[in-house]
Amino acid sequence: MSNERRQILEMLAQGKINTDEAERLLDAMRERNAGGAEQATTVTRPRFFRVFVKGEDEQVDIRVPLQLIRAGVKLGALIPPEAQAKISGKLEEKGIQFDLSNIKPETLEELIDGLSGVSIDVKDEEETVRVFCE
Amino acid sequence: MIFPPSILRIRIKEQDSKGLGLCLPLFLIWPIILAIGILLAPVVLLAAFITWPKGTGKRLLLAGPYLFNVFCRVRGLRVKVKDKEDNVYISFS
């Protein structure tokens, strides 16, 4: 039994509300819960990854379809391990620690699901950076 | 059904110039891509068959469809870069 339902029944038992009022409250609670469930099922998945940077004089706005990232990861998985190691090595030489073999379609899906509710906003006096999914 | 991008819009504007605006009908190259795919298919199949024991055959076989998938998914990509002097806009739709 939910906490709210118990509270309504306790109020009824204590005589604070009558049966009609209790029924109305229970109906209202049921409707609200049904609406919430419906809302939860109709939540749309994000389609684009957006990076927006605004400086004093410049502005960059990039919108990448998430399907393109998925397709790119799938294509990247075809790169032979030896070539992946070479790419990672070259990237490391440039100071970028990025291992291509760590990106797998399954982990990417988890990442995208996690990103759907995330919005990164960084703002200072001169610049604004926003990274989000839409 | 996934379709490749049909229009590529490019706008480049520099401070002292009129700028350049292009609207490229990518759908016109769809038949060319299809023709290249059909022409290359037997070669890729043969190469995949030969290299199958080494393990690269499967990769070779999947590379074509995966590349085409990437090309299709480019639809919706948009890049806007603007500063005091220049303005660049690229969009696939």
Side-chain angles (χ1 to χ4, degrees), chain A:
Chain A
M1 192 187 294
S2 75
N3 205 23
E4 285 175 323
R5 195 179 166 85
R6 181 172 288 135
Q7 273 180 349
I8 294 167
L9 293 176
E10 276 174 7
M11 281 158 68
L12 178 67
Q14 288 162 6
K16 287 180 182 172
I17 54 172
N18 60 32
T19 48
D20 287 342
E21 287 168 332
E23 198 179 354
R24 269 204 302 274
L25 283 170
L26 286 170
D27 283 344
M29 194 187 82
R30 220 171 288 136
E31 276 171 27
R32 197 189 62 198
N33 287 348
E38 197 176 294
Q39 207 176 8
T41 52
T42 55
V43 168
T44 51
R45 296 190 77 191
R47 291 180 58 216
F48 298 103
F49 179 69
R50 283 276 298 272
V51 178
F52 179 77
V53 182
K54 193 175 180 189
E56 221 170 277
D57 301 320
E58 59 275 312
Q59 186 178 313
V60 177
D61 185 1
I62 299 172
R63 188 182 76 175
V64 184
L66 289 172
Q67 290 285 8
L68 177 62
I69 300 174
R70 287 189 182 101
V73 168
K74 269 190 181 176
L75 184 66
L78 292 181
I79 300 171
E82 311 88 63
Q84 281 187 13
K86 274 186 189 173
I87 293 168
S88 299
K90 287 284 177 191
L91 285 172
E92 212 168 327
E93 277 175 26
K94 302 273 179 192
I96 304 164
Q97 289 198 331
F98 187 75
D99 193 354
L100 272 174
S101 58
N102 284 341
I103 305 174
K104 293 186 173 70
E106 317 86 64
T107 47
L108 183 80
E109 282 306 315
E110 280 176 32
L111 181 71
I112 288 170
D113 284 342
L115 273 174
S116 60
V118 175
S119 169
I120 300 166
D121 294 313
V122 183
K123 216 174 195 179
D124 70 4
E125 284 172 5
E126 291 168 357
E127 289 176 343
T128 305
V129 178
R130 283 195 74 201
V131 180
F132 59 100
C133 286
E134 62 178 14

Side-chain angles (χ1 to χ4, degrees), chain B residues 56-74:
Chain B
T56 48
K58 195 182 170 189
R59 285 199 181 100
L60 205 60
L61 214 57
L62 289 172
Y66 279 17
L67 264 172
F68 181 71
N69 192 26
V70 168
F71 178 57
C72 291
R73 301 300 188 181
V74 166

